[in-house]
Amino acid sequence: MRTRPGAVRVRATVVASALIALLGLVLSGCSGDDADAVTSPSAVARPTAPATPVPTTTSTLRKATASAPLNYVALGDSYSSGMGGGKEVGPCRRSPNGYPHLLAKEKTIELTSFPACAGATTKDVLKKQLDVLDPSVDLVTITIGGNDLDVGALPVACAKSQTKRCKAAVTASVDLLNTLQPKLDKTYQAIAKAAPNARILVAGYPAFFDLPDLEKGNVNTDELSAAVAADTAVASLDATIETAVVRQRNAGTDIHFVDVSFLGHGVNSTKPWFVLHGVDAYHPTAAGYKQYALTLHDYLG
């Protein structure tokens, strides 16, 4: 499913507040591994996604042509390298099915450098990935921050029920948000300085789980509490990333946060866009990366 301008999008800032409120209600009766006393699902409101159009800006992005395509560089972590998309190569797990290569299938976009690497943190981007940038770069994409918070541990810890392990994983991730903010600021500033003529698209992370329709009843409260806990942490991460992006844009940089939704295709859905097993578990599938590419493409106008 392609997310188009004007279509329903799950904005990180809205979802974060909604999920946090829901998390408080769901966990109010939980203690340790005991989730039997969870608040009745009928008393909990399901978060809704507001309709928000793709933002318009005074873009500095030059008009590309097939003969003079955009000079594109892809930075970031495993979500940027395409881990999980299939046919990955090397220790950085770069895949031809990752969103950088999918974007570059456009004749007007040329992927000239692809340093994105699985396991990368903001520190790795600053130390190992920025040397490929220069004033000739027209477009930069990046997904980063998840490894700084160890968000990848959330779906494993919260896969089946709300346990002490799940709570601890969520708490650990959320507690690191304050330390992530200055790291993101420094990273985006460094990218803008190294590639002053580029449009920078910062892609967020999709929620791992699809929340059940509480109005239909028959909700497994253990599964609900675990899903809400994990998705709360991811939404809070995205909100932190978006806040850092807005600060950089207010400073004059052509930088944008791109909210990517896997709504209806979470790990607990019938058609997940996440790998469920193996070393690539909880990374997007080829279909998930296609959704990334389509959403990013919309932001290019």
Side-chain angles (χ1 to χ4, degrees):
M1 177 183 69
R2 183 170 184 174
T3 305
R4 295 182 180 274
V8 173
R9 294 174 183 268
V10 183
R11 296 293 293 170
T13 50
V14 175
V15 175
S17 58
L19 284 176
I20 289 170
L22 180 56
L23 178 63
L25 289 171
V26 171
L27 300 184
S28 60
C30 295
S31 176
D33 294 324
D34 182 12
D36 294 335
V38 177
T39 302
S40 170
S42 62
V44 183
R46 179 179 174 81
T48 57
T52 54
V54 175
T56 57
T57 65
T58 54
S59 173
T60 59
L61 191 68
R62 69 176 177 84
K63 186 174 179 61
T65 64
S67 59
L70 296 177
N71 180 352
Y72 168 38
V73 174
L75 310 176
D77 57 21
S78 55
Y79 273 59
S80 300
S81 71
M83 182 175 176
K87 299 181 181 179
E88 298 91 339
V89 295
C92 285
R93 307 290 289 162
R94 298 187 184 109
S95 169
N97 297 319
Y99 70 73
H101 279 294
L102 296 180
L103 275 177
K105 286 186 177 181
E106 292 278 346
K107 292 181 179 179
T108 55
I109 300 175
E110 181 181 0
L111 182 60
T112 55
S113 189
F114 190 13
C117 192
T121 62
T122 51
K123 183 178 180 180
D124 293 320
V125 170
L126 291 169
K127 286 192 171 184
K128 303 176 183 178
Q129 298 185 17
L130 298 189
D131 59 349
V132 300
L133 299 178
D134 60 47
S136 72
V137 175
D138 300 300
L139 174 65
V140 175
T141 62
I142 185 170
T143 306
I144 200 69
N147 291 320
D148 292 76
L149 269 61
D150 196 20
V151 167
L154 295 176
V156 178
C158 304
K160 294 183 178 180
S161 63
Q162 177 62 34
T163 63
K164 288 182 178 179
R165 182 184 178 192
C166 178
K167 286 184 180 180
V170 171
T171 300
S173 291
V174 174
D175 284 350
L176 289 172
L177 285 174
N178 288 335
T179 66
L180 179 62
Q181 289 181 4
K183 294 178 181 179
L184 292 173
D185 288 337
K186 186 176 181 180
T187 301
Y188 300 151
Q189 288 167 5
I191 294 172
K193 182 178 181 180
N197 299 313
R199 168 171 288 184
I200 305 167
L201 298 183
V202 180
Y205 297 87
F208 288 115
F209 296 93
D210 288 329
L211 298 183
D213 189 339
L214 301 179
E215 295 180 357
K216 291 184 178 180
N218 299 320
V219 176
N220 184 311
T221 52
D222 287 354
E223 294 179 359
L224 173 62
S225 60
V228 171
D231 285 357
T232 296
V234 175
S236 298
L237 168 60
D238 281 343
T240 301
I241 292 172
E242 184 172 17
T243 298
V245 167
V246 170
R247 279 198 298 269
Q248 190 62 35
R249 186 166 69 245
N250 289 341
T253 300
D254 188 4
I255 185 171
H256 309 268
F257 174 78
V258 181
D259 185 32
V260 181
S261 173
F262 283 11
L263 188 63
H265 298 279
V267 298
N268 56 337
S269 70
T270 57
K271 295 182 179 180
W273 284 348
F274 289 96
V275 178
L276 302 182
H277 306 288
V279 67
D280 299 333
Y282 306 116
H283 285 80
T285 61
Y289 284 119
K290 183 177 181 180
Q291 174 70 356
Y292 259 93
L294 290 172
T295 308
L296 285 162
H297 186 272
D298 282 338
Y299 274 75
L300 292 176

PDB file of all heavy atoms in Angstrom, residues 210-223:
ATOM      1  N   ASP A 210       0.714  -4.350  15.270  1.00  0.00           N
ATOM      2  CA  ASP A 210      -0.593  -3.771  14.987  1.00  0.00           C
ATOM      3  C   ASP A 210      -1.454  -3.924  16.224  1.00  0.00           C
ATOM      4  O   ASP A 210      -1.608  -5.042  16.744  1.00  0.00           O
ATOM      5  CB  ASP A 210      -1.265  -4.485  13.813  1.00  0.00           C
ATOM      6  CG  ASP A 210      -0.619  -4.159  12.476  1.00  0.00           C
ATOM      7  OD1 ASP A 210      -0.117  -3.031  12.341  1.00  0.00           O
ATOM      8  OD2 ASP A 210      -0.618  -5.024  11.588  1.00  0.00           O
ATOM      9  N   LEU A 211      -2.009  -2.816  16.716  1.00  0.00           N
ATOM     10  CA  LEU A 211      -2.878  -2.893  17.889  1.00  0.00           C
ATOM     11  C   LEU A 211      -4.251  -3.418  17.474  1.00  0.00           C
ATOM     12  O   LEU A 211      -4.765  -3.057  16.423  1.00  0.00           O
ATOM     13  CB  LEU A 211      -3.017  -1.516  18.536  1.00  0.00           C
ATOM     14  CG  LEU A 211      -1.732  -0.890  19.056  1.00  0.00           C
ATOM     15  CD1 LEU A 211      -2.034   0.441  19.740  1.00  0.00           C
ATOM     16  CD2 LEU A 211      -1.015  -1.821  20.011  1.00  0.00           C
ATOM     17  N   PRO A 212      -4.854  -4.263  18.291  1.00  0.00           N
ATOM     18  CA  PRO A 212      -6.171  -4.810  17.954  1.00  0.00           C
ATOM     19  C   PRO A 212      -7.256  -3.750  18.046  1.00  0.00           C
ATOM     20  O   PRO A 212      -7.085  -2.722  18.698  1.00  0.00           O
ATOM     21  CB  PRO A 212      -6.369  -5.902  19.010  1.00  0.00           C
ATOM     22  CG  PRO A 212      -5.575  -5.413  20.180  1.00  0.00           C
ATOM     23  CD  PRO A 212      -4.355  -4.750  19.587  1.00  0.00           C
ATOM     24  N   ASP A 213      -8.350  -4.009  17.386  1.00  0.00           N
ATOM     25  CA  ASP A 213      -9.511  -3.125  17.467  1.00  0.00           C
ATOM     26  C   ASP A 213     -10.221  -3.423  18.778  1.00  0.00           C
ATOM     27  O   ASP A 213     -10.906  -4.443  18.928  1.00  0.00           O
ATOM     28  CB  ASP A 213     -10.448  -3.365  16.281  1.00  0.00           C
ATOM     29  CG  ASP A 213     -11.556  -2.326  16.208  1.00  0.00           C
ATOM     30  OD1 ASP A 213     -11.841  -1.684  17.237  1.00  0.00           O
ATOM     31  OD2 ASP A 213     -12.143  -2.159  15.125  1.00  0.00           O
ATOM     32  N   LEU A 214     -10.042  -2.532  19.748  1.00  0.00           N
ATOM     33  CA  LEU A 214     -10.573  -2.779  21.083  1.00  0.00           C
ATOM     34  C   LEU A 214     -12.098  -2.810  21.105  1.00  0.00           C
ATOM     35  O   LEU A 214     -12.698  -3.438  21.978  1.00  0.00           O
ATOM     36  CB  LEU A 214     -10.065  -1.702  22.043  1.00  0.00           C
ATOM     37  CG  LEU A 214      -8.538  -1.605  22.169  1.00  0.00           C
ATOM     38  CD1 LEU A 214      -8.164  -0.484  23.125  1.00  0.00           C
ATOM     39  CD2 LEU A 214      -7.936  -2.916  22.626  1.00  0.00           C
ATOM     40  N   GLU A 215     -12.706  -2.139  20.154  1.00  0.00           N
ATOM     41  CA  GLU A 215     -14.161  -2.083  20.145  1.00  0.00           C
ATOM     42  C   GLU A 215     -14.788  -3.426  19.777  1.00  0.00           C
ATOM     43  O   GLU A 215     -15.948  -3.679  20.077  1.00  0.00           O
ATOM     44  CB  GLU A 215     -14.629  -1.003  19.159  1.00  0.00           C
ATOM     45  CG  GLU A 215     -14.231   0.403  19.577  1.00  0.00           C
ATOM     46  CD  GLU A 215     -14.699   1.446  18.577  1.00  0.00           C
ATOM     47  OE1 GLU A 215     -15.281   1.043  17.543  1.00  0.00           O
ATOM     48  OE2 GLU A 215     -14.483   2.644  18.826  1.00  0.00           O
ATOM     49  N   LYS A 216     -14.014  -4.284  19.126  1.00  0.00           N
ATOM     50  CA  LYS A 216     -14.547  -5.585  18.730  1.00  0.00           C
ATOM     51  C   LYS A 216     -14.493  -6.608  19.856  1.00  0.00           C
ATOM     52  O   LYS A 216     -15.065  -7.684  19.752  1.00  0.00           O
ATOM     53  CB  LYS A 216     -13.770  -6.111  17.513  1.00  0.00           C
ATOM     54  CG  LYS A 216     -14.021  -5.308  16.245  1.00  0.00           C
ATOM     55  CD  LYS A 216     -13.299  -5.923  15.063  1.00  0.00           C
ATOM     56  CE  LYS A 216     -13.579  -5.149  13.786  1.00  0.00           C
ATOM     57  NZ  LYS A 216     -12.875  -5.744  12.612  1.00  0.00           N
ATOM     58  N   GLY A 217     -13.782  -6.282  20.931  1.00  0.00           N
ATOM     59  CA  GLY A 217     -13.695  -7.191  22.065  1.00  0.00           C
ATOM     60  C   GLY A 217     -12.799  -8.383  21.778  1.00  0.00           C
ATOM     61  O   GLY A 217     -12.077  -8.428  20.787  1.00  0.00           O
ATOM     62  N   ASN A 218     -12.841  -9.384  22.667  1.00  0.00           N
ATOM     63  CA  ASN A 218     -12.035 -10.604  22.539  1.00  0.00           C
ATOM     64  C   ASN A 218     -10.556 -10.296  22.364  1.00  0.00           C
ATOM     65  O   ASN A 218      -9.872 -10.892  21.529  1.00  0.00           O
ATOM     66  CB  ASN A 218     -12.521 -11.467  21.361  1.00  0.00           C
ATOM     67  CG  ASN A 218     -13.952 -11.921  21.532  1.00  0.00           C
ATOM     68  OD1 ASN A 218     -14.366 -12.281  22.635  1.00  0.00           O
ATOM     69  ND2 ASN A 218     -14.713 -11.909  20.447  1.00  0.00           N
ATOM     70  N   VAL A 219     -10.076  -9.323  23.131  1.00  0.00           N
ATOM     71  CA  VAL A 219      -8.681  -8.917  23.040  1.00  0.00           C
ATOM     72  C   VAL A 219      -7.857  -9.638  24.098  1.00  0.00           C
ATOM     73  O   VAL A 219      -8.226  -9.676  25.267  1.00  0.00           O
ATOM     74  CB  VAL A 219      -8.543  -7.397  23.225  1.00  0.00           C
ATOM     75  CG1 VAL A 219      -7.072  -6.992  23.239  1.00  0.00           C
ATOM     76  CG2 VAL A 219      -9.281  -6.658  22.118  1.00  0.00           C
ATOM     77  N   ASN A 220      -6.751 -10.238  23.666  1.00  0.00           N
ATOM     78  CA  ASN A 220      -5.826 -10.869  24.591  1.00  0.00           C
ATOM     79  C   ASN A 220      -5.037  -9.765  25.281  1.00  0.00           C
ATOM     80  O   ASN A 220      -4.205  -9.099  24.664  1.00  0.00           O
ATOM     81  CB  ASN A 220      -4.879 -11.815  23.836  1.00  0.00           C
ATOM     82  CG  ASN A 220      -3.943 -12.570  24.764  1.00  0.00           C
ATOM     83  OD1 ASN A 220      -3.307 -11.985  25.635  1.00  0.00           O
ATOM     84  ND2 ASN A 220      -3.866 -13.869  24.569  1.00  0.00           N
ATOM     85  N   THR A 221      -5.316  -9.560  26.563  1.00  0.00           N
ATOM     86  CA  THR A 221      -4.712  -8.425  27.259  1.00  0.00           C
ATOM     87  C   THR A 221      -3.199  -8.565  27.417  1.00  0.00           C
ATOM     88  O   THR A 221      -2.489  -7.558  27.460  1.00  0.00           O
ATOM     89  CB  THR A 221      -5.359  -8.244  28.638  1.00  0.00           C
ATOM     90  OG1 THR A 221      -5.322  -9.482  29.352  1.00  0.00           O
ATOM     91  CG2 THR A 221      -6.807  -7.801  28.489  1.00  0.00           C
ATOM     92  N   ASP A 222      -2.704  -9.808  27.502  1.00  0.00           N
ATOM     93  CA  ASP A 222      -1.254 -10.000  27.568  1.00  0.00           C
ATOM     94  C   ASP A 222      -0.587  -9.502  26.282  1.00  0.00           C
ATOM     95  O   ASP A 222       0.407  -8.775  26.314  1.00  0.00           O
ATOM     96  CB  ASP A 222      -0.929 -11.480  27.768  1.00  0.00           C
ATOM     97  CG  ASP A 222      -1.254 -11.955  29.173  1.00  0.00           C
ATOM     98  OD1 ASP A 222      -1.612 -11.107  30.012  1.00  0.00           O
ATOM     99  OD2 ASP A 222      -1.150 -13.172  29.422  1.00  0.00           O
ATOM    100  N   GLU A 223      -1.141  -9.912  25.155  1.00  0.00           N
ATOM    101  CA  GLU A 223      -0.590  -9.497  23.872  1.00  0.00           C
ATOM    102  C   GLU A 223      -0.747  -8.000  23.656  1.00  0.00           C
ATOM    103  O   GLU A 223       0.132  -7.333  23.102  1.00  0.00           O
ATOM    104  CB  GLU A 223      -1.266 -10.269  22.735  1.00  0.00           C
ATOM    105  CG  GLU A 223      -0.964 -11.759  22.750  1.00  0.00           C
ATOM    106  CD  GLU A 223      -1.663 -12.499  21.623  1.00  0.00           C
ATOM    107  OE1 GLU A 223      -2.393 -11.840  20.846  1.00  0.00           O
ATOM    108  OE2 GLU A 223      -1.472 -13.724  21.526  1.00  0.00           O
TER     109      GLU A 223
END
